[in-house]
Amino acid sequence: MKTRIFILIALGMLPAAVGFAADISRVDFVSKAFRDGDFIPHVCSEQDVVRRYGDGDRTVDAAGLIQRRYLDPTTRLEVLITSNPDVASKYRTVDEIRVSSISMGQPAAGRTESLRKLKLKGVAIGDPASRAASAARRYGQIHTEQEALGTFNVERICGFSGSGSSICFYIKDAEVVAMALGFGP
């Protein structure tokens, strides 16, 4: 009798478990992260991102970090999702999501949701550099440096919160050409 009750309970929970997995596969992680403006307290699982968007164009950068490139076919914005391979894949989280109007190479094979009205702390790609600098200052301690983005030299303006998360804006010709959020530098 106890076995039969256990089986009935397990079967009753199965649709909920399947529904949860299906819900994860429909989450628009890029839009959600930028809308929230932070990973805290909800960090993205790399497995969930791959389940949602596929493998993308997977490479390992010079620092040994895993990078997956995707493309929003409606806006032609490139999405770069970075994670740390030092953590077992089962537990690996996304360290940074960057959205850029500048491609890092050939168009990415992976696809994301439409990023048409994407903003980070009220700033969109194409906005003036002054708006990005103000948003970074409001977010936390600010840091600015020169960096290469694709074949272009850009200015990277980042704001760092006390919790260790960051928002960054990439500026070329006084205009935001990319933006990112993540943990640390």
Side-chain angles (χ1 to χ4, degrees), residues 164-177:
S165 61
S166 63
I167 61 169
C168 297
F169 301 96
Y170 299 77
I171 310 299
K172 181 180 175 294
D173 299 329
E175 185 177 285
V176 176
V177 293

Side-chain angles (χ1 to χ4, degrees), residues 25 35 62 117 182:
S25 68
R35 184 179 57 248
K117 295 185 180 184

